[in-house]
Amino acid sequence: MANATIRVQFGSPDGQGASEGHLSAEVDARPQGLNGGKTSFSPGETVYILVYKSDNVSITETICSAGSLSAQGTATVTVTDELMFEETDNASLSVPARAGIDTSVWYGRSLGTLTLQSDKVTVKSAVKGVGVAKVTYEAQAQVYALASPAALNGETDFSILALIKGSAT
């Protein structure tokens, strides 16, 4: 079996002057997703990767250590996060939301209504405090296909590194 490994680099190439933004990637492990819920793959298979980015981030380059990496369009993904409020009135989603929060449930103490901020990652509660909220929202993912070779240097147990570079404006 082979593993799909993802390294995500964010920011300007020299690391200087990057604006804040979000860029992340993951193997599509959703049960009904493009990999059918699989997270372990055989040599020669194609692995689908979901890339999430904020509106101010542009993907500048994609590189992989073996095989090929190609853009496959976009997918709308339903995401569920647990937000932790630690004596504060804001928390962060794991990936940028498309629009707003679809559902929210407080576990224990409620800090009131949750509002998604303009960066589409920060969520603000009505009051400051300590609380945990489970939220569900839709995110837009860019889909990439990582096509692996059947063997690498005669090996059939290997990893491939996929690098997605982005720049924030």
Side-chain angles (χ1 to χ4, degrees):
M1 292 297 213
N3 297 320
T5 302
I6 301 169
R7 174 181 172 222
V8 178
Q9 179 179 331
F10 176 74
S12 59
D14 61 4
Q16 302 296 318
S19 300
E20 289 197 31
H22 176 96
L23 178 62
S24 63
E26 64 188 25
V27 171
D28 186 355
R30 299 172 297 157
Q32 303 303 317
L34 297 166
N35 294 317
K38 289 175 53 176
T39 57
S40 183
F41 304 93
S42 298
E45 284 189 287
T46 296
V47 178
Y48 292 95
I49 298 169
L50 301 175
V51 177
Y52 300 97
K53 65 181 197 65
S54 53
D55 292 340
N56 67 327
V57 172
S58 297
I59 294 174
T60 58
E61 188 176 14
T62 60
I63 310 165
C64 57
S65 62
S68 63
L69 188 61
S70 61
Q72 302 292 307
T74 61
T76 300
V77 178
T78 300
V79 180
T80 301
D81 284 339
E82 282 189 357
L83 302 180
M84 307 292 176
F85 294 84
E86 302 171 9
E87 284 294 321
T88 186
D89 64 354
N90 63 65
S92 297
L93 300 174
S94 61
V95 298
R98 277 184 75 191
I101 295 170
D102 296 328
T103 63
S104 64
V105 176
W106 286 101
Y107 291 143
R109 180 177 307 187
S110 172
L111 302 180
T113 303
L114 297 174
T115 307
L116 182 64
Q117 302 301 293
S118 61
D119 67 0
K120 298 184 181 177
V121 174
T122 304
V123 176
K124 190 168 180 72
S125 61
V127 297
K128 181 178 174 180
V130 175
V132 178
K134 178 179 157 184
V135 297
T136 303
Y137 58 98
E138 287 189 344
Q140 184 79 25
Q142 293 191 0
V143 178
Y144 284 83
L146 175 61
S148 74
L152 284 174
N153 298 332
E155 297 285 330
T156 57
D157 187 12
F158 53 83
S159 295
I160 296 176
L161 182 67
L163 173 64
I164 295 107
K165 291 183 177 184
S167 178
T169 55

